[in-house]
């Protein structure tokens, strides 16, 4: 017992110290977003701004290329909402299909799905770009959102694991009562797998919100730019070194992500632990 | 979707049906449910892969029709394009230094956090946060700036009496900067390890302690073997995603891959070949070499571990 009492503070100093080191860069950026641009690197070693410069946020909000940052945020939200709806809905259908239906080729398609889970996206980058060009989908959100409506392997896998925990007797009872497969899906299974759908929705939100490659390739007019593109444009015009506004908008872009993280922490942790979803 | 009409399929009618029709219906229902995946797989994966394979043997700039050149793209990659070889080297360094560091760190912290202390939840949150925001442009911008000449990293080095490092002037330092960003995001692997550690019963460690086993013995004889499938899973996924790292390299080097191609990761070079120089054929060939490399690495990882549990037969729960 005595040994543990000595160990205890050392443990917390060690693990707490590491936590502070981990968080320090984020804290530095948040506080630097309240510093005058010319002071950001002059006073890089002190955390607290002096004086507090609130104007960075107003200046950053004015955006780049004549478009307010509000436009980028709205564009991002449209993509995120449409893509997430498509991804969660279609993935739940496919997951139910794999979990509760026997059909010829079940193993084959399941294997293919697990393979696509590990397929490097770069392999299809060029041909997809060519296909979307030919379809005249460029400079629209279609190349970014439409593929999400065909099931996302990670989410399928996540929901599949969840459906497997639902007792099969439930299906049998429903079938005896004359319930068809589709009714079984939306009346019984769908309400029960809501937690895993929430997890999928959270990750879909993160991935679409942070996505840079899609917008870089497919959105050409600044009026359609997303938050990631807006930040990139800030960086490209960095020669004027307006660090303050750039940090301010970076912090703003992380705010929804952080909010969701703190509200839905349990779902996120469960999602990662059960399926190996990557943040 | 009237594929199985519940009103006409009363149990008796169902049983009375011909087995063949029944089987057909069952198959059709199954395929109806997974049809989004099948269509998506054909349109967005299989057909593009076929196109990509074809293009990799051509010279194609998006405007003129593709011209068949056989293996020229592949030959050029390994004999006539030092920049490609350099990019491959940088990427392999990034993967083989970054992934073990990240996983080692994740396992270390997971083991420390695998206690019943009340604070564990809070620490877990803090350690995991970087993984959640790590892929964003904002974090890459942040990383770029904490490593700037007068940034906090150089300030910290100065505190320990170490000279300021020009992170953007030295290719090795720039790559190191990318690796630290990847290690900083060890949180998701840590969570998976924590879940794995929770499944190991404490009795096993107690029994080992009674038999006089020390910390290292317990680690190598109990923890590592029982975690091996989790470690393998982590290794495979992290290796693949590390190989495809794009955003940090793109943002930190402002799309140039500099200094002196120090941060020219494979994905970035592929992106530049395809979309800045319009070398679609060459970029496709690069993509196939990448697929092959990732495939070989994954294959080696799977082969070397016998304790891997295959999902379909294993996960019946």
């Amino acid at each position: 017992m005595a040994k543990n009492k000595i160990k205890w503070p050392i443990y917390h100093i060690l693990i707490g110290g590491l936590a502070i080191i981990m968080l320090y860069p984020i804290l530095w950026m948040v506080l630097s977003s309240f510093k005058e641009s010319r002071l950001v690197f002059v006073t890089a070693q002190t955390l607290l701004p002096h004086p507090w410069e609130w104007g960075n946020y107003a200046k950053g909000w004015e955006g780049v290329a004549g478009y307010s940052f509000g436009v980028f945020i709205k564009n991002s939200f449209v993509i995120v909402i449409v893509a997430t709806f498509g991804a969660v809905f279609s993935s739940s259908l496919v997951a139910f299909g794999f979990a509760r239906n026997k059909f010829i080729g079940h193993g084959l398609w399941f294997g293919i799905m697990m393979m696509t889970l590990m397929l490097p996206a770069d392999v299809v980058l060029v041909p997809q770009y060519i296909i979307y060009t030919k379809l005249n989908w460029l400079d629209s959100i279609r190349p970014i959102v439409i593929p999400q409506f065909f099931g996302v392997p990670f989410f399928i896998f996540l929901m599949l694991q969840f459906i497997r925990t639902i007792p099969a007797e439930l299906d049998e009872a429903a079938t005896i009562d004359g319930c068809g497969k589709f009714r079984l899906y939306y009346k019984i299974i769908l309400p029960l797998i809501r937690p895993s759908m929430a997890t999928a929705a959270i990750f879909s939100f993160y991935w679409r919100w942070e996505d840079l490659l899609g917008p870089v390739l497919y959105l050409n007019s600044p009026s359609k730019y997303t938050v990631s593109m807006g930040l990139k444009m800030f960086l490209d015009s960095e020669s004027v070194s307006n660090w303050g506004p750039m940090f301010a908008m970076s912090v703003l872009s992380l705010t929804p992500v952080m909010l969701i993280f703190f509200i839905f922490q349990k779902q996120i942790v469960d999602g990662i632990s059960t399926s190996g979803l990557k943040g | 979707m009237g594929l199985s009409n519940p009103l006409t399929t009363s149990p008796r009618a169902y049983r009375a049906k011909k087995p063949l029709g029944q089987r057909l219906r069952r198959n059709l229902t199954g395929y109806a449910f997974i049809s989004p995946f099948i269509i998506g797989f054909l349109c967005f994966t299989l057909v593009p892969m076929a196109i990509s394979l074809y293009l990799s043997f051509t010279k194609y700039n998006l405007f003129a029709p593709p011209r068949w050149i056989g293996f020229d793209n592949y030959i050029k990659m390994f004999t006539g394009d030092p920049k490609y070889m350099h990019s491959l080297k940088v990427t392999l360094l990034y993967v083989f230094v970054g992934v073990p560091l990240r996983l080692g760190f994740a396992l270390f912290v997971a083991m420390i956090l695998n206690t019943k202390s009340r604070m564990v939840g809070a620490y877990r949150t803090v350690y995991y946060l970087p993984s959640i925001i790590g892929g964003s442009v904002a974090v890459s911008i942040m990383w770029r700036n904490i490593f700037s000449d007068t940034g906090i990293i150089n300030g910290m080095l100065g505190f320990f009496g170490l000279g300021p490092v020009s992170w953007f002037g030295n290719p090795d330092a720039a790559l190191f900067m990318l690796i630290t960003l990847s290690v900083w995001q060890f949180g998701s692997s840590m969570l998976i390890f924590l879940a794995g550690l929770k499944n190991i019963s404490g009795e096993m460690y107690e029994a080992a302690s009674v038999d006089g086993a020390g910390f290292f013995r317990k680690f190598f004889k109990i923890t590592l073997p029982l975690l091996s499938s989790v470690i393998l899973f982590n290794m495979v996924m992290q290796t693949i995603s590390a190989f495809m790292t794009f955003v940090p390299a793109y943002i930190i080097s402002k799309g140039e891959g500099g200094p002196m191609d120090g941060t020219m990761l494979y994905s970035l070079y592929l992106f530049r070949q395809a979309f800045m120089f319009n070398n679609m054929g060459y970029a496709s060939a690069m993509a196939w070499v990448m697929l092959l490399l990732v495939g070989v690495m994954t294959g080696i990882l799977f082969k070397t571990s016998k304790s891997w549990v295959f999902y379909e037969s294993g996960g019946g729960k």
Side-chain angles (χ1 to χ4, degrees):
Chain A
M1 252 352 244
K3 199 178 158 201
N4 274 339
K5 268 188 186 142
I6 303 165
K7 257 186 177 169
W8 194 85
I10 298 173
Y11 173 81
H12 282 276
I13 288 169
L14 200 85
I15 204 99
L18 184 64
I20 292 169
I21 294 173
M22 298 274 303
L23 285 186
Y24 194 83
I26 303 174
L27 201 65
W28 180 82
M29 182 166 75
V30 172
L31 288 168
S32 291
S33 76
F34 293 105
K35 286 178 180 173
E36 275 180 51
S37 287
R38 65 184 174 86
L39 291 179
V40 166
F41 285 106
V42 181
T43 63
Q45 310 311 327
T46 39
L47 265 185
L48 284 182
H50 179 80
W52 285 73
E53 172 66 45
W54 300 91
N56 284 335
Y57 281 81
K59 214 189 267 171
W61 188 262
E62 283 170 16
V64 259
Y67 290 95
S68 140
F69 215 79
V71 174
F72 305 149
I73 290 181
K74 195 209 83 195
N75 291 340
S76 278
F77 267 114
V78 170
I79 289 180
V80 164
I81 289 167
V82 176
T84 299
F85 171 79
V88 172
F89 173 70
S90 59
S91 301
S92 75
L93 266 179
V94 178
F96 175 78
F98 277 125
R100 287 297 205 254
N101 291 277
K102 287 197 185 100
F103 49 86
I104 301 164
H106 181 283
L108 173 78
W109 285 107
F110 187 83
I112 289 176
M113 198 211 46
M114 294 307 287
M115 296 265 278
T116 54
L117 201 73
M118 292 191 280
L119 186 79
D122 289 45
V123 179
V124 287
L125 196 66
V126 169
Q128 276 182 354
Y129 182 83
I130 295 167
I131 292 171
Y132 299 145
T133 312
K134 301 275 188 238
L135 286 172
N136 241 336
W137 281 8
L138 290 203
D139 205 21
S140 81
I141 65 168
R142 278 176 288 187
I144 302 170
V145 298
I146 290 180
Q148 300 291 314
F149 282 75
F150 295 90
V152 177
F154 258 122
F155 301 156
I156 297 173
F157 183 59
L158 177 81
M159 295 182 199
L160 193 70
Q161 297 286 74
F162 204 87
I163 296 176
R164 280 176 175 166
T165 63
I166 300 170
E169 288 82 38
L170 212 60
D171 297 30
E172 282 156 25
T175 312
I176 288 167
D177 287 347
C179 189
K181 279 285 183 189
F182 193 73
R183 275 235 318 223
L184 178 70
Y185 159 73
Y186 78 82
K187 286 276 189 204
I188 295 173
I189 300 293
L190 212 52
L192 286 173
I193 61 167
R194 262 191 218 140
S196 65
M197 289 172 81
T199 308
I202 291 164
F203 280 95
S204 171
F205 174 91
Y206 284 150
W207 294 342
R208 288 312 116 211
W209 185 263
E210 290 184 347
D211 184 27
L212 178 68
L213 196 54
V216 161
L217 287 180
Y218 299 119
L219 305 175
N220 309 109
S221 22
S223 64
K224 291 171 185 156
Y225 278 6
T226 61
V227 169
S228 304
M229 289 291 280
L231 287 177
K232 185 189 161 291
M233 276 172 72
F234 257 113
L235 188 71
D236 290 343
S237 61
E238 203 194 49
S239 48
V240 282
S241 61
N242 48 350
W243 319 105
M246 186 170 79
F247 286 164
M249 290 307 104
S250 297
V251 171
L252 195 69
S253 82
L254 290 178
T255 316
V257 180
M258 299 265 211
L259 272 180
I260 290 184
F261 176 70
F262 286 114
I263 298 171
F264 296 104
Q265 235 193 92
K266 200 185 137 12
Q267 266 96 350
I268 296 171
V269 170
D270 288 351
I272 301 274
S273 316
T274 54
S275 73
L277 276 168
K278 213 177 73 67
Chain B
M1 291 241 187
L3 275 158
S4 60
N5 189 337
L7 294 175
T8 56
T9 341
S10 74
R12 185 174 298 169
Y14 204 76
R15 220 175 294 136
K17 244 178 211 156
K18 273 181 191 166
L20 183 71
Q22 208 184 99
R23 259 184 296 156
L24 189 69
R25 154 165 283 173
R26 202 181 60 195
N27 272 300
L28 282 177
T29 316
Y31 273 95
F33 276 107
I34 67 161
S35 61
F37 172 73
I38 295 178
I39 297 167
F41 172 72
L42 295 179
C43 297
F44 301 112
T45 306
L46 195 65
V47 170
M49 277 177 80
I51 295 176
S52 167
L53 187 61
Y54 164 70
L55 286 179
S56 76
F57 296 105
T58 67
K59 196 174 171 64
Y60 182 49
N61 65 1
L62 210 59
F63 307 109
R67 190 163 53 83
W68 185 267
I69 53 168
F71 280 94
D72 281 8
N73 283 328
Y74 293 95
I75 295 166
K76 186 187 164 198
M77 243 181 268
F78 293 102
T79 56
D81 186 0
K83 208 165 179 155
Y84 170 81
M85 291 309 284
H86 179 77
S87 149
L88 185 63
K89 196 192 92 190
V90 168
T91 309
L92 289 177
L93 216 69
Y94 176 79
V95 171
F96 287 120
V97 176
V99 172
L101 267 179
R102 185 173 176 166
L103 289 184
F105 211 61
L107 183 57
F108 174 70
V109 177
M111 283 175 62
I112 293 179
L113 283 188
N114 190 30
T115 58
K116 288 201 177 79
S117 168
R118 221 180 300 157
M119 290 289 285
V120 164
Y123 287 133
R124 198 180 58 183
T125 305
V126 169
Y127 291 144
Y128 181 51
L129 185 64
S131 280
I132 276 291
I133 60 175
S136 64
V137 175
V139 163
S140 288
I141 288 180
M142 175 184 92
W143 216 255
R144 191 184 149 80
N145 284 296
I146 63 172
F147 278 92
S148 86
D149 287 346
T150 51
I152 51 176
I153 299 295
N154 273 341
M156 232 156 52
L157 287 176
F159 180 78
F160 292 109
L162 298 165
V165 176
S166 173
W167 299 98
F168 292 94
N170 177 342
D172 293 333
L175 183 63
F176 180 76
M177 175 168 64
L178 282 185
I179 291 174
T180 56
L181 177 54
S182 143
V183 176
W184 184 64
Q185 298 167 46
F186 69 86
S188 54
S189 303
M190 177 200 73
L191 284 185
I192 301 172
F193 283 141
L194 260 175
L197 286 171
K198 289 247 155 63
N199 285 335
I200 303 176
S201 84
E203 285 163 29
M204 212 161 330
Y205 290 109
E206 278 160 32
S209 294
V210 170
D211 288 348
F215 171 81
F216 286 102
R217 216 180 148 75
K218 278 190 268 185
F219 177 73
F220 285 109
K221 294 285 175 192
I222 300 175
T223 314
L224 270 190
L226 287 176
L227 270 187
S228 59
S229 66
V230 182
I231 293 172
L232 183 65
F233 175 79
N234 259 321
M235 266 187 183
V236 170
M237 295 319 277
Q238 300 287 342
T239 304
I240 294 172
S241 76
F243 222 96
M244 298 196 315
T245 305
F246 174 76
V247 173
Y250 184 68
I251 291 295
I252 286 176
S253 73
K254 287 192 176 182
E256 303 287 333
M260 293 190 282
D261 297 331
T263 58
M264 187 65 89
L265 295 186
Y266 205 102
S267 284
L268 182 57
Y269 190 55
L270 193 155
F271 172 87
R272 287 171 64 83
Q273 282 293 347
F275 303 111
M276 303 191 94
F277 311 125
N278 278 329
N279 293 329
M280 298 285 176
Y282 192 60
S284 299
M286 278 185 67
W288 276 91
V289 172
M290 175 199 236
L291 183 65
L292 216 70
L293 275 171
V294 170
V296 167
M297 278 195 272
T298 313
I300 292 173
L301 283 174
F302 274 101
K303 268 268 152 61
T304 49
S305 169
K306 289 171 192 161
S307 48
W308 178 248
V309 190
F310 200 84
Y311 279 106
E312 195 170 17
S313 53
K317 211 176 81 174

